[in-house]
Amino acid sequence: MPEDRKKTKKTAKTDKAAPAQAPKASSKPAKGAAALVIVESPAKERTISRILQKDFVVRSSYGHVRDLPEKKMGVDEKKNFEPTYVLLPRTKKILPELETLAKKASMVYLATDHDREGESIAWHLVHLLGLGDDRVRRITFHEITPAAIQEAIKEPRGIDLHLVHAQQARRVIDRLVGYKLSPLLWKKVRRGLSAGRVQSVAVRLLVEREREIKDFASKPYYSLGAKLSAGTPPPFDARLTQWKGEKVESTQVYDLFSEQYRVHSTRFGSRPEIDAVVVALSGVPFTVASVDKKEVRRRPTPPFTTSTLQQAASQRYGFPAEKTMRVAQGLYEGVDLGDAEPVGLITYMRTDSVSVAKLAQEEARRVIKSQYGDPYAPAEYPIYQTTSKGAQEAHEAIRPTSVTRGPDQVRKYLDPDQAKLYDLIWKRFVASQMTEAVYDTVAADISAGPDAIFRANGRTLKFDGYLRVYVEAEEADAPSDEEQEGRLPDLKAGDVLALEGLDPEEHNTSPPPHYNEASLIRALERHGIGRPSTYAPTIKTIIERGYVKRGIKDRKLIPSELGVLVTGKLKEHFPDVVSLTYTAEVEERLDRVAEGADQWQKVVGEFYDPFQKALKTASSAMEDYKPIETKEPCPICGQFMLIRESRFGKYLSCSQFPTCKGKIRLTEDGQKAVPEMTEEKCESCGKFLVIRMGRRGKFLACSGYPACKITYSLDAEGKKIEGSRPLATSRGCEKCGKSMWLRLGKRGHFLACSGFPKCRNLKPVGKVEAETLRTEALAKEAETRAALQAQSGNGNAAPAPTTPVSKSQP
């Protein structure tokens, strides 16, 4: 890397990539000075500062401190992809304090996360603070506990430049793709689009699955069941498995993406065929031909990795991947447990390893024996093999930092989402350290005359083992083993059975299921696309860009027409960018850089050269996307309108745009969005409320708009969220002087400037303050309404008090 340019940090706005080795000398601190520990988040700072109370000062960098510039590429292709970094806005505020503390400190410990991003933050801090080798140490840990922190300080190391280079290579490649490809999509399709190495492949998976579903032709097939009795109740079920010497096979097509089998019979494809079998079996004897009894053991699933935690939280609680990571981050960084010191409740949550520390296994064994008994603790500690590509075995699986802190014990200190996720992590880890579940299984072949053989299966749980603690989400609501496969009577070869009835059943072959977040993450991981830290932001990005829509109730991920359009153009002109194998190969090359087996500039260059050639060709060869003309007249100027699509969905736009800005919103099926009348009345003016479609979905609004601007948010089930309408307060905006509105967001109430979007000032408010402001605003509204009614002498004719307009309001 090139040498740093000589200039002071206070005046430098940009900085070329610093040299690989940090300066070897720095000013000596005062004798007896405290050591400085720098972490990357305020929550982590709070927890560790209470652990290291003496001789240590802990401060946060608030995430990354430098990055590539926001409004230009910041990568010099002619100088071996040399990056130019700029200080982030928040870094400019905290840097003076960090510089002062670093100069006074006896030693600076960089305690950022134990991954490529954390290593990069540490490397940037070294160069921003001018730290020499004699004054800086890198410490890492998998859990934020007193023992782990103290152990890390005793065993510091230098910065791993291989990890830094791998992070830098990923950042440079993503910047090259984003800044080169996005403008082309803006020019050829529409403004505001983006493309990326991982996100474009994720959208391609969804587009191809949607096409497979639409192209699937369902076919009927038939199976035959028999209700049999061995003389004593209850009867049991058997299925026809062989007819006239040929197996009645069910074809099981394994779907790599959904990890599910699609089953259909290859023997009977029509109703007359199966009816003929029923006739042929009338009056024939049913005799037990053979009985196979055996014991089957079922091993517990490994403890969580990042991807399996995201999948389980999605399946069990409907958590989006981003939410799962946000909640897990809070559990990792530390929670106040009453009078005790704050402590991290789980180990590091970005990992693809299933390894477990020996001490953690020993503690789990003691808890298992104490709570469940000796039979539930295996003779030897379980060992699990990591199967994901590029797994970092130096990391551990996600587990509780102490198994002795059970979910019930810490629940009162956690919010509901934290409690759910901790319960899931604790149970999965404890179950992974328990004995296998044991089943007794029975398989009986039953002959029906000379032509047919039926099979009856039975399974009973002999010992629950790990199932006493943890059951997979998809099994939790399923019938029990005995309900599903039945408990068979004591059968022996030669037993003659009574036929109670034959049941021919029609089925239809089904297409593969839509992806949800859990199955998409599983597919990305299996193909080697992305890494633990990228799954959640990738899904968030493709939804926010409008390439994908997520179902409110079923949470299916369905590509939009925009996603299909962009994917088609990328597949045609940039096959490597959306290639599963090529993208996985790039990930593997980045892993090799992290291991020190490859040079980052070489990896970037080998990716960029063919990409640049494809870009040059596509600039002239890619056809412009033309919006669809309609006969719908513009409501403003009367000219014809065009069907366009934004990330919020389809809409009609005037063909004279931007001269005329007429617009009509469309529903998902392409119809004009018409307000849906409700029976509920507006509390301000008494008119009926209607359901309208806004940019972010449906909302409730007064039918008296624009005279009355009352709006309410709707929940996932379409019910009104009380208290969700914005309220005008007496607070003034300190930036522009306009009044502030009280709004309700995902994380609670906040104040927002009424001058939005020109003024974007907003402030969070606590529950008590929000309730006070709400009471004052409602009282003011009531007072204004009473005054207006008194003036008009007719309450129904009184205009509504001034209420902020929702940005979703048309």
Side-chain angles (χ1 to χ4, degrees):
M1 295 182 183
E3 293 293 326
D4 275 327
R5 290 177 290 180
K6 294 183 179 179
K7 53 187 176 184
T8 61
K9 287 176 285 297
K10 291 185 178 179
T11 60
K13 292 184 179 179
T14 62
D15 195 11
K16 295 294 183 182
Q21 300 299 327
K24 294 190 176 180
S26 53
S27 58
K28 293 185 178 180
K31 191 174 181 180
L36 173 64
V37 178
I38 303 179
V39 297
E40 73 272 54
S41 75
K44 205 170 169 183
E45 173 190 333
R46 184 179 66 251
T47 302
I48 295 178
S49 63
R50 295 187 187 179
I51 293 174
L52 300 174
Q53 294 182 359
K54 189 178 179 182
D55 299 328
F56 290 92
V57 175
V58 185
R59 289 292 184 270
S60 169
S61 70
Y62 290 83
H64 281 276
V65 291
R66 293 195 300 185
D67 197 3
L68 299 174
E70 185 177 349
K71 295 185 178 180
K72 60 181 181 179
M73 189 163 69
V75 177
D76 194 334
E77 306 138 80
K78 297 179 181 179
K79 293 185 178 180
N80 211 13
F81 305 104
E82 180 182 288
T84 298
Y85 293 109
V86 298
L87 292 180
L88 296 174
R90 60 175 176 268
T91 307
K92 296 176 183 179
K93 298 178 182 179
I94 64 172
L95 186 58
E97 182 190 15
L98 291 179
E99 287 178 322
T100 301
L101 292 172
K103 288 177 181 178
K104 295 178 180 178
S106 58
M107 182 64 65
V108 178
Y109 292 96
L110 302 175
T112 48
D113 284 346
H114 190 192
D115 57 14
R116 296 174 192 176
E117 298 297 323
E119 207 73 21
S120 175
I121 294 172
W123 179 77
H124 282 288
L125 283 168
V126 166
H127 295 286
L128 279 178
L129 300 177
L131 300 173
D133 290 345
D134 57 330
R135 298 266 325 285
V136 65
R137 298 289 184 270
R138 175 79 169 110
I139 59 174
T140 57
F141 34 82
H142 302 297
E143 57 187 58
I144 304 178
T145 59
I149 300 300
Q150 296 292 351
E151 185 65 25
I153 290 175
K154 290 178 183 178
E155 298 184 5
R157 61 170 174 82
I159 289 179
D160 188 337
L161 291 173
H162 299 315
L163 293 179
V164 176
H165 292 160
Q167 188 276 341
Q168 186 162 261
R170 178 189 293 278
R171 189 74 185 93
V172 168
I173 289 176
D174 290 345
R175 175 54 64 97
L176 289 170
V177 172
Y179 264 71
K180 296 285 187 177
L181 192 49
S182 296
L184 180 64
L185 294 177
W186 284 36
K187 179 181 177 182
K188 299 292 186 178
V189 184
R190 72 165 177 81
R191 295 180 62 83
L193 297 181
S194 70
R197 245 180 356 98
V198 177
Q199 76 174 53
S200 297
V201 174
V203 176
R204 175 183 176 172
L205 286 174
L206 296 171
V207 168
E208 292 183 345
R209 172 57 58 83
E210 184 68 16
R211 185 173 294 116
E212 187 179 357
I213 293 171
K214 288 182 177 179
D215 293 344
F216 186 85
S218 182
K219 298 179 180 179
Y221 67 96
Y222 297 84
S223 62
L224 182 62
K227 182 76 72 176
L228 301 170
S229 173
T232 57
F236 61 94
D237 295 319
R239 309 294 295 179
L240 179 65
T241 59
Q242 187 172 318
W243 176 248
K244 293 186 176 181
E246 295 182 12
K247 288 185 177 180
V248 180
E249 295 182 357
S250 291
T251 300
Q252 296 185 319
V253 181
Y254 186 64
D255 178 53
L256 289 173
F257 297 146
S258 65
E259 290 189 327
Q260 295 178 356
Y261 283 101
R262 303 201 297 279
V263 184
H264 67 276
S265 171
T266 57
R267 187 66 178 84
F268 305 112
S270 67
R271 188 77 196 193
E273 286 182 277
I274 199 71
D275 288 342
V277 175
V278 172
V279 172
L281 292 177
S282 299
V284 303
F286 282 72
T287 307
V288 177
S290 64
V291 178
D292 181 20
K293 296 181 179 180
K294 58 184 178 181
E295 184 180 88
V296 175
R297 294 180 174 271
R298 183 178 173 186
R299 198 181 186 206
T301 46
F304 283 127
T305 61
T306 300
S307 65
T308 55
L309 175 63
Q310 291 170 341
Q311 292 165 40
S314 174
Q315 292 165 342
R316 195 176 293 263
Y317 303 126
F319 283 6
E322 181 198 12
K323 179 178 181 178
T324 298
M325 296 310 293
R326 184 175 67 249
V327 175
Q329 182 97 23
L331 294 174
Y332 165 71
E333 292 182 338
V335 175
D336 290 318
L337 300 180
D339 296 332
E341 294 294 336
V343 65
L345 292 182
I346 64 170
T347 54
Y348 190 51
M349 64 286 158
R350 293 186 183 92
T351 177
D352 42 21
S353 170
V354 292
S355 302
V356 178
K358 188 70 175 291
L359 289 175
Q361 289 187 308
E362 292 171 352
E363 184 184 53
R365 179 185 287 271
R366 291 193 295 270
V367 170
I368 290 167
K369 286 186 174 182
S370 171
Q371 293 190 15
Y372 307 107
D374 290 351
Y376 289 87
E380 297 181 358
Y381 294 119
I383 298 175
Y384 297 97
Q385 297 296 323
T386 299
T387 57
S388 63
K389 298 180 180 180
Q392 302 175 56
E393 293 297 340
H395 287 179
E396 273 196 70
I398 302 171
R399 60 169 176 81
T401 54
S402 176
V403 183
T404 58
R405 286 190 285 266
D408 293 335
Q409 181 182 345
V410 301
R411 193 180 309 278
K412 60 183 177 181
Y413 304 112
L414 307 177
D415 65 38
D417 290 337
Q418 288 178 325
K420 288 178 180 177
L421 202 63
Y422 184 74
D423 181 81
L424 194 63
I425 292 168
W426 189 93
K427 288 180 177 178
R428 173 82 166 230
F429 173 68
V430 170
S432 74
Q433 303 302 306
M434 296 176 74
T435 50
E436 302 165 326
V438 182
Y439 295 88
D440 281 333
T441 64
V442 181
D445 282 339
I446 300 159
S447 62
D451 295 329
I453 293 180
F454 285 74
R455 167 68 65 90
N457 293 304
R459 183 170 76 159
T460 57
L461 184 62
K462 184 177 182 180
F463 176 67
D464 55 2
Y466 77 93
L467 293 175
R468 182 168 176 181
V469 174
Y470 182 82
V471 179
E472 296 291 343
E474 58 267 26
E475 300 178 57
D477 299 324
S480 67
D481 293 307
E482 293 184 18
E483 290 174 332
Q484 201 166 23
E485 295 195 328
R487 180 190 289 271
L488 295 183
D490 186 17
L491 300 175
K492 297 185 293 296
D495 287 352
V496 178
L497 306 174
L499 174 65
E500 296 192 0
L502 292 173
D503 180 24
E505 187 175 356
E506 180 180 351
H507 312 272
N508 286 285
T509 56
S510 58
H514 281 98
Y515 281 112
N516 55 28
E517 290 197 23
S519 58
L520 179 60
I521 290 170
R522 189 159 54 235
L524 291 172
E525 184 181 36
R526 185 182 306 107
H527 287 293
I529 308 299
R531 289 297 179 260
S533 61
T534 64
Y535 300 136
T538 295
I539 293 175
K540 179 184 177 184
T541 297
I542 62 178
I543 292 174
E544 288 182 343
R545 296 293 183 187
Y547 295 139
V548 176
K549 297 176 182 178
R550 179 170 54 200
I552 295 176
K553 293 184 178 180
D554 56 21
R555 307 197 69 79
K556 293 177 181 176
L557 297 178
I558 300 175
S560 65
E561 289 189 17
L562 181 64
V564 174
L565 172 66
V566 172
T567 297
K569 290 189 176 295
L570 292 179
K571 284 179 67 176
E572 180 181 356
H573 299 283
F574 299 91
D576 283 347
V577 172
V578 291
S579 165
L580 297 176
T581 54
Y582 183 75
T583 306
E585 287 171 7
V586 173
E587 294 289 353
E588 291 173 2
R589 292 290 300 277
L590 292 174
D591 290 339
R592 285 177 55 79
V593 173
E595 296 163 1
D598 217 335
Q599 292 186 341
W600 76 269
Q601 294 98 331
K602 180 182 176 184
V603 173
V604 174
E606 291 178 359
F607 168 85
Y608 184 64
D609 289 343
F611 171 73
Q612 188 179 32
K613 293 177 182 177
L615 188 71
K616 185 177 181 180
T617 303
S619 297
S620 56
M622 185 183 289
E623 294 182 1
D624 293 351
Y625 168 71
K626 295 180 180 179
I628 302 171
E629 294 185 7
T630 72
K631 296 181 179 179
E632 182 72 29
C634 174
I636 296 177
C637 70
Q639 293 291 323
F640 69 91
M641 303 192 79
L642 305 172
I643 296 178
R644 297 182 182 273
E645 185 168 4
S646 73
R647 62 194 181 97
F648 299 108
K650 290 182 178 180
Y651 65 97
L652 288 172
S653 173
C654 182
S655 57
Q656 302 304 305
F657 180 86
T659 303
C660 176
K661 297 184 179 180
K663 186 190 329 185
I664 300 174
R665 193 168 301 282
L666 299 177
T667 61
E668 290 186 2
D669 57 1
Q671 301 300 313
K672 286 194 292 185
V674 179
E676 179 184 341
M677 191 65 68
T678 71
E679 296 180 356
E680 188 169 356
K681 291 189 175 182
C682 175
E683 63 185 42
S684 286
C685 68
K687 293 185 177 181
F688 286 103
L689 296 176
V690 294
I691 297 175
R692 292 182 178 274
M693 178 63 72
R695 285 185 169 186
R696 303 189 184 279
K698 293 182 178 180
F699 67 98
L700 202 59
C702 181
S703 58
Y705 176 84
C708 179
K709 300 180 177 67
I710 293 292
T711 62
Y712 291 92
S713 299
L714 297 176
D715 61 18
E717 297 179 354
K719 297 179 181 178
K720 183 176 76 173
I721 301 176
E722 295 293 342
S724 60
R725 72 177 176 93
L727 296 170
T729 72
S730 58
R731 300 279 182 91
C733 175
E734 63 269 25
K735 291 187 177 181
C736 69
K738 293 185 178 181
S739 64
M740 298 288 280
W741 297 339
L742 181 66
R743 288 182 172 274
L744 180 63
K746 290 182 178 179
R747 296 178 178 84
H749 284 90
F750 64 95
L751 288 170
C753 181
S754 59
F756 180 86
K758 289 185 178 180
C759 180
R760 296 178 177 268
N761 186 26
L762 58 86
K763 289 186 174 181
V765 293
K767 292 182 180 179
V768 176
E769 185 181 4
E771 188 57 35
T772 301
L773 291 170
R774 176 176 167 77
T775 302
E776 292 176 354
L778 291 175
K780 183 68 174 177
E781 282 188 4
E783 182 182 333
T784 304
R785 188 159 47 246
L788 291 171
Q789 289 173 352
Q791 290 176 4
S792 64
N794 183 353
N796 291 331
T802 302
T803 304
V805 184
S806 166
K807 299 318 291 183
S808 298
Q809 185 78 40

